[in-house]
Every structure is written in C-alpha cells, then in structure tokens.
Amino acid sequence: MATYILQRLLQSAGVMLAVSVAVFFSVYGIGDPIELLVPPQAGAAERLELIQRLGLDQPAWQQYLTFMGNALHGDLGRSFAHGVPAVGLILSRLPATMELVLLALSLAVLVGVPLGLFAGLDPHGKPARLILACTVVGYSLPNFWKGMMLILLFSVLLGWLPTAERGETVTVLGIRTSLFTADGLRHLVLPALNLAIPNVALVIRLVATGTTDLMTQEFVKYARAKGVRPRRIVGRHVLRNILIPVVTVVGIEFGSLVAFSTVTETVFAWPGMGKLLIQSIYQLDRPVVVAYVMLATFLFISVNLLVDILYAALDPRVKLTGGAA
Amino acid sequence: MNAEFTQDAPLLDVQGLKTVIHLPDGAWPAVDGIDFTVQRGEVLGLVGESGSGKSVTGFSIVQLMDSPAEVIAGRVLFNNEDLRLASEERLRSLRGNRIAMIFQDPLMTLNPVLSIGEQMAEAILEHRDVGRQEALRAAADALVRVGISLPEARLRQYPHEFSGGMRQRVAIATAMLNAPDLIIADEPTTALDVTIQSQILFEVQKLARDSGTAVIWITHDLAVVAELADRVAVMYSGRIVEIGPVDEVLDRSRHPYTLGLLRSSAAMVEPGQRLNQINGMAPRIDARPSGCPFRTRCDRAMSICAEQDPTPTIDGRHGFRCHNPMPQRDAA
Ligand SMILES: Nc1ncnc2c1ncn2[C@@H]1O[C@H](COP(=O)(O)OP(=O)(O)OP(=O)(O)O)[C@@H](O)[C@H]1O
Ligand SMILES: [Mg+2]
C-alpha cells in the first residue's frame, strides 16, 4: 500500500511537469498581455518598465525556467491583473465552488441512486421508461441553456429564487460559506441544480443498467434460493456492487466540476473558481491561468488516487500493489 | 408414476409438473409432465444427459423459474402445501429454510463483494431470530463439517480467495445450516476430489439420517447415485423415463435409455468390458421426435414408438415409460 502510494506520487510528479510545459507554452502563444495591462495614457518608459518588471522581455524558455524555479519553492507567480499571488487568488474562490459542487454531487447520488435502482429493477415498465427518457434530456441539454431556463422559470416567472450571485455567508471553521444561511441556500439552489442535472442523469443511467445486469446474475438467484428478502437483495447484494462504478464516476465528476464549472458559474454570476478562470483567460492573466491548470491537474491526480483507494476498499478483488500502474 | 403407497404422506409430491421455455417460435417444454415423490429422510438421485431438464426440475419445485421459463402445469405438494399456489413471501420463508438448494455452478453463485461469513450467516438471519455472532458460529461449524479448516478465518474471506471446490463446499455447508426438510443439490460434488466427495456424501447421509432431511441429488455420476441414493429417477427430454429403488433401476433396468447410461458410464461397467456411448445426441428442446422422444436413438424401437407416447408402466415400486422394455430378469 505504501509502495503503491509512493509510486503513484512519483508518476504524478512526472504528469505535473509535462502539464506545466504544455500549459506554459500554450498560454504564452495565445497573446501578449502587455496591451491589456498597460494603461492607454502610459508613456513608453513606463511601458518598458512594466515589461521588465513582469519579466516579459526574456525569451520564453527563460521565463519558463524562472517560473519552474519559483514553482519548486511553492510560488506559482502573481496575478498580472490583481497583483496578488495566483494560488492565493484561486484558493480564495475555492469555498464558493466547493459548496456548489458538493451540493450538486450529493443531489446526484441521493436522487440518482434510488431512481436508478428503481428503474433498473423493472427496466421495461412505464415509470422506468419515463425516468430513462428524462435522463437523456437532462444529460444532453446544454448547460448554459438549462441555466437560463431555470432562471427564467424560478426567478423571473415564479419569483421564488434569486437570479444570480452568491448569498450571505458566514465563517465556519475558518471557511466562508453560504451553506448555513437561509439567503445563502436560496442563492445556491439554482446553480447547484444546474450542475446536478446532468450528473443525476448520469448516475441514474449508470445505476439502472448496473442493476438490470446484476439482477440477472446467478448470485442474485442464489440469494433468492436462500430466502433472502428482496429488500436485502437490492439493498445489500446489488447496491454493494453498484457502489463501485458510482464511486469512480462521482470521483471523476468531482474533479472536473471543481475545476471547470465555468459555464454555470458564469450564467449565475457565481464568484467561484470557474468564473475566475474565464476572466483570467480574457485578461490574458498568464500566471493565474497557468497556476489554475496546475492546481486542477493536482486535483485530478489526488481525486484519482483517492478513487483507487476507495475502489480497493469497496472491491475485495482489487489489491493496491506496487506492481500495478 | 406414483409407484409407492406409504402410510404417511410424502414430504414432496410432484404431480404433472410442466415447465416451458418461451422462445420466439413457441413455448417448448423443458420439463414435460413429471410425477415423483420424495419421503422424509430419503435420497433421490436424479440422473440424465445434459439438457434433459434436471436443473429446471429443481428450480421449478421452489418456483424459481424466471422468464423465459415458466411453470405452466402441475402440483408441487410440499408437506401437503401446493407451492405453485403459495405467496411469494411464503415461498421466501421456505426457501433456504425448509428447502435448500445447491447450485450447479459454484463459481457464479457467491456474491464477489460480500464476505463468505455474511453470505452464510444471512441464510440463518433471514429465517431465524438469532444474533449475528450465533449465526456466524453456526456457519463456522457447518464449514468444519464439509472439511474446511480454520473456519473463523475463512468466514472473513471473500469468494475470490476460495477455489471452485471450496466454493462448492461453502454452498453445501450453507444448505445444511437450517437443517432443512429437503435439499435440492445440483451436481454438488463434480468439482471435488474423491476423498472430499466421500466426506461430503457421508455428511449428507448423516444429515438425512439425523435430521430427517430428504435430498434430491442431481448428477451425471451413476456411481455416486449407486452409493448415496435410496431411489433414482432417470430423465430424458423433460420426462422421467424410469424411476424406482436404486438396485432395481440400476441392476434390473427396464428402459433402454437407463441401460445406455449405465453402459456408457466408466464407473458402472465391469473392468475389461467395453464402454458403449448411446447413439447420437439428445434432441434439442425444440426438435424432439413424436411419440417416444428416445426412439431415434433406441436400438429396440418399433413402429409404435413413433406413433404413441408410451404411458407409465408400474411394476411394484419400479416404474418406466417404454413400449418395448428390457425383459424382466431375476436378481443375479
Ligand atoms: N433460461 C433458459 N432459457 C432457455 N432455455 C433454457 C433455460 N433454462 C433451461 N433451458 C433449456 O431447458 C432444457 C433443460 O435444461 P436443464 O438446465 O434443466 O438441463 P440439465 O438436465 O440440468 O442439464 P445439465 O446436465 O447440462 O445441467 C435445455 O434444453 C435448456 O437449453
Ligand atoms: Mg443442470
């Protein structure tokens, strides 16, 4: 187990290095941020001074080496636009995104697993066909359109919920969160729902096909021959098998939602990480974009490792050994 | 073919049981109107070639036939209660408790992600109001009886840590947990070596003697039947073609098919004698000949065999379905 984790960490270091090269040079190629950064009325001297201060006069590879040198000391650079450390800036947006994602994924599991089980047990019945048809719609509608429809319905027409932005926050355990205020929750509902819908659909389909398949397995018939109650057959024999793919999918979705909820955060003017990423790309705020991608990569790697460990805990056939890649 | 008339009602009385498989081109009988009884504490061997309907018979008794199969006729009287009319909850309370089953394929029958202990204990906990610890202790005892040592450690393991033969023994131990009235065992010792097999046969006989448990032992192995069973039923094309006490049926077979089975079984032929396979293959379920289904492979077939399905002939406790049976001969 320890060897396995060590090996995984070494692999991760290699991945991080490769990603740093790729993202640094591609961001470098996108455009010159200096036009956006220098005030229009500034003189040539002022402009040159800024270029030098940001190190933009040096060749790309030199800039990369400087970046890597600093990165190894834990410094991923300062935002051009905000003048603060890029990592700090990104992490300050983390709680807002995190509460959105956690709520959305909890919904996905709490709604998706029971509905999926229900649909999977009688896949040809009317209710199951209706549920599965809804998942196709829920999964394939574009995110921004769904977001706007939610706003139109619940905010504009019905006036039940606020249209956008984060609500009132309180500090709990040192983290500013809107999960514990009524106003905060009211603001959370629509964006969380918007993020949740495709994931609910995904989990329903995953659980439904898994359930249908598992119910025909010989071990289910054997459990019935032992007189095991249907409740226990579904709730223990089947569910225990279903959890394995669900954990994998929810884990991967967690990573990508935290890193790339850009559309939902933009539609709902949610001050999270995704919105910051979009702004930074528009402003050609290179250090923030590079730091963002590096952090996202780190997040994906950690989540993957965690999923693999959970996987081994859930499936007795899987052993984490140093030999496996 | 109710050949015996005893004072007590039998434990199991199957009458006219018929189970069809629904295929796109119609419903074909996998079990085609069979009658037999099992007394308390009796071991009935059920033999026949692959596809003759032995497993379907076992599952039909406990009403565990799922689509595309369906039990369409007959009565299954278990302790005088017709299981075909029983509610699903009533059947559940009997399955694993009064009627236990051992499945044919030990590799597929255990849930890969639940421990052996949990899967054995649930067979008790779903039927009796006892604690988990007590259930696990009973499971450990049962494992010892089928020759598995260090049972406590074994109970904490998962199916993939067990070999095929070990899993088969787990299934046998599980079936014995509630000292059921009837065990339906589908080829339970095929994957086991000879010493383990005889230990298990011994345990089964002991259970039959001590707890009055009856056993339907489905097998290809006539030697096991000869050693273990009190009576034997021979199946062909979904019917019982011969049934009776073991020595009657095996030593004085009346149906040519039974004789064919004996002559093709290595264990039943005297050393030095030739093995004779039965001609041809068993017909598929949807291509069975008219009249007697065995006639196309039978060297005693006559013209009537194609025209009429033979009705049961009963000779004491010995029954058979044949137009031209082997002549009766005295015991050697
Ligand atoms: N679920 C099913 N779907 C289709 N056909 C089936 C099904 N179950 C059984 N059959 C058919 O019913 C017939 C009897 O099958 P059964 O499994 O009872 O044979 P068996 O005597 O147990 O054979 P074996 O010795 O190979 O186990 C076979 O022709 C088989 O193909
Ligand atoms: Mg079979």
Side-chain angles (χ1 to χ4, degrees):
Chain A
M1 180 84 174
T3 3
Y4 173 78
I5 293 179
L6 196 71
Q7 199 179 24
R8 286 287 297 258
L9 289 180
L10 280 176
Q11 279 173 8
S12 310
V15 172
M16 295 286 287
L17 192 70
V19 167
S20 74
V21 173
V23 70
F24 192 91
F25 288 99
S26 55
V27 170
Y28 190 91
I30 288 174
D32 191 351
I34 204 70
E35 303 306 333
L36 292 162
L37 291 174
V38 182
Q41 69 276 21
E46 214 176 320
R47 185 186 161 96
L48 200 66
E49 198 260 341
L50 188 65
I51 291 178
Q52 275 167 0
R53 185 154 59 78
L54 296 175
L56 295 174
D57 52 344
Q58 288 165 2
W61 62 268
Q62 185 100 45
Q63 288 186 34
Y64 176 73
L65 287 185
T66 314
F67 163 76
M68 270 317 283
N70 291 336
L72 288 178
H73 294 96
D75 174 10
L76 290 180
R78 282 174 169 271
S79 159
F80 291 160
H82 300 82
V84 296
V87 175
L89 182 66
I90 297 167
L91 291 184
S92 72
R93 302 291 194 94
L94 185 63
T97 296
M98 209 58 144
E99 60 194 22
L100 207 56
V101 171
L102 288 180
L103 204 61
L105 285 182
S106 307
L107 261 177
V109 172
L110 293 179
V111 176
V113 171
L115 280 184
L117 279 175
F118 175 77
L121 285 176
D122 180 19
H124 302 297
K126 274 230 173 62
R129 292 218 305 266
L130 185 68
I131 291 172
L132 293 175
C134 288
T135 64
V136 175
V137 178
Y139 194 73
S140 45
L141 286 180
N143 234 332
F144 71 90
W145 186 84
K146 223 167 3 196
M148 289 188 319
M149 287 304 122
L150 284 175
I151 293 176
L152 200 64
L153 183 64
F154 291 102
S155 309
V156 179
L157 288 179
L158 296 170
W160 291 351
L161 293 164
T163 48
E165 302 197 321
R166 201 173 178 211
E168 192 186 324
T169 61
V170 285
T171 304
V172 178
L173 302 173
I175 297 167
R176 272 185 7 111
T177 168
S178 63
L179 280 172
F180 299 103
T181 66
D183 181 58
L185 285 175
R186 275 163 45 82
H187 281 82
L188 261 170
V189 173
L190 288 186
L193 206 59
N194 197 44
L195 272 192
I197 288 171
N199 288 292
V200 172
L202 188 66
V203 171
I204 289 179
R205 294 202 78 89
L206 189 71
V207 171
T209 43
T211 303
T212 306
D213 177 52
L214 284 164
M215 286 305 286
T216 65
Q217 295 281 312
E218 197 73 355
F219 67 74
V220 166
K221 194 170 186 185
Y222 182 56
R224 289 171 64 200
K226 284 193 293 186
V228 178
R229 288 180 176 80
R231 278 184 83 97
R232 189 179 150 80
I233 289 180
V234 175
R236 186 78 186 143
H237 285 265
V238 170
L239 193 60
R240 194 62 179 61
N241 279 278
I242 291 277
L243 281 183
I244 296 167
V246 168
V247 162
T248 311
V249 165
V250 167
I252 291 167
E253 281 297 299
F254 174 78
S256 61
L257 286 186
V258 169
F260 304 117
S261 302
T262 47
V263 173
T264 296
E265 291 190 357
T266 305
V267 170
F268 289 91
W270 192 260
M273 291 170 49
K275 191 150 164 272
L276 175 69
L277 176 64
I278 289 292
Q279 284 168 350
S280 304
I281 290 172
Y282 282 141
Q283 296 170 341
L284 292 176
D285 196 343
R286 280 190 206 163
V288 175
V289 176
V290 173
Y292 195 100
V293 176
M294 298 295 288
L295 281 181
T297 310
F298 180 72
L299 177 74
F300 280 114
I301 289 172
S302 316
V303 166
N304 258 320
L305 183 59
L306 205 69
V307 165
D308 285 351
I309 291 173
L310 261 177
Y311 202 104
L314 285 174
D315 190 339
R317 289 162 296 187
V318 175
K319 284 271 174 297
L320 299 180
T321 51
Chain B
M1 212 180 299
N2 266 332
E4 61 268 286
F5 297 95
T6 38
Q7 288 308 111
D8 298 337
L11 173 71
L12 180 73
D13 187 354
V14 175
Q15 302 169 359
L17 183 65
K18 183 163 180 174
T19 302
V20 295
I21 313 285
H22 293 282
L23 295 177
D25 56 344
W28 303 95
V31 166
D32 199 0
I34 59 173
D35 309 277
F36 66 96
T37 59
V38 180
Q39 304 294 330
R40 266 168 219 291
E42 182 181 52
V43 179
L44 174 74
L46 190 56
V47 300
E49 287 169 301
S50 194
S52 56
K54 305 183 295 293
S55 299
V56 171
T57 300
F59 285 120
S60 299
I61 290 170
V62 291
Q63 311 296 312
L64 259 182
M65 288 303 327
D66 294 324
S67 145
E70 188 192 0
V71 181
I72 57 162
R75 300 210 288 171
V76 179
L77 298 175
F78 178 72
N79 281 325
N80 284 321
E81 174 184 2
D82 190 347
L83 298 185
R84 279 196 69 209
L85 306 177
S87 70
E88 192 49 39
E89 172 54 25
R90 173 66 185 152
L91 288 168
R92 186 203 70 73
S93 73
L94 290 173
R95 292 183 193 133
N97 185 17
R98 301 332 310 151
I99 308 177
M101 292 193 80
I102 301 167
F103 281 27
Q104 190 163 2
D105 183 355
L107 294 182
M108 305 300 293
T109 48
L110 291 168
N111 189 330
V113 300
L114 300 183
S115 72
I116 298 294
E118 177 172 355
Q119 296 190 63
M120 288 187 74
E122 73 179 356
I124 298 176
L125 295 172
E126 292 288 293
H127 298 293
R128 281 190 271 153
D129 193 14
V130 300
R132 210 181 132 69
Q133 288 312 314
E134 195 179 326
L136 284 172
R137 222 170 305 125
D141 289 345
L143 285 185
V144 171
R145 284 163 73 189
V146 295
I148 294 182
S149 50
L150 297 175
E152 282 83 12
R154 284 305 203 164
L155 287 176
R156 281 190 293 275
Q157 293 186 321
Y158 289 86
H160 73 278
E161 295 168 90
F162 282 60
S163 69
M166 289 292 257
R167 287 185 226 187
Q168 208 155 32
R169 283 193 265 171
V170 168
I172 295 165
T174 307
M176 304 198 303
L177 282 175
N178 293 319
D181 295 324
L182 177 64
I183 294 179
I184 299 171
D186 202 344
E187 314 248 8
T189 54
T190 36
L192 302 179
D193 66 53
V194 182
T195 37
I196 298 298
Q197 181 167 329
S198 38
Q199 179 181 355
I200 282 171
L201 297 189
F202 173 76
E203 285 294 340
V204 169
Q205 278 171 319
K206 193 163 142 232
L207 192 71
R209 216 173 37 239
D210 299 349
S211 323
T213 298
V215 182
I216 296 177
W217 193 273
I218 298 172
T219 182
H220 284 108
D221 191 341
L222 288 171
V224 169
V225 168
E227 179 184 339
L228 178 74
D230 302 308
R231 285 191 310 138
V232 58
V234 181
M235 280 193 85
Y236 187 81
S237 286
R239 300 149 189 225
I240 291 178
V241 295
E242 184 157 13
I243 187 170
V246 165
D247 44 358
E248 282 277 329
V249 172
L250 298 189
D251 297 342
R252 288 182 286 279
S253 318
R254 301 300 301 276
H255 201 289
Y257 177 62
T258 310
L259 205 66
L261 282 183
L262 284 165
R263 287 186 176 150
S264 63
S265 160
M268 302 304 287
V269 171
E270 313 267 315
Q273 244 179 305
R274 246 161 41 88
L275 281 188
N276 287 304
Q277 295 305 321
I278 305 173
N279 301 328
M281 298 249 293
R284 283 185 16 202
I285 187 172
D286 54 352
R288 289 179 179 160
S290 62
C292 170
F294 185 59
R295 69 178 162 85
T296 49
R297 304 170 69 193
C298 182
D299 49 19
R300 297 174 61 83
M302 307 178 300
S303 57
I304 187 177
C305 299
E307 289 148 22
Q308 261 181 38
D309 195 4
T311 49
T313 311
I314 293 166
D315 174 8
R317 298 182 63 207
H318 192 162
F320 48 91
R321 288 176 79 159
C322 182
H323 288 300
N324 186 16
M326 309 298 295
Q328 198 164 14
R329 63 184 174 90
D330 294 325

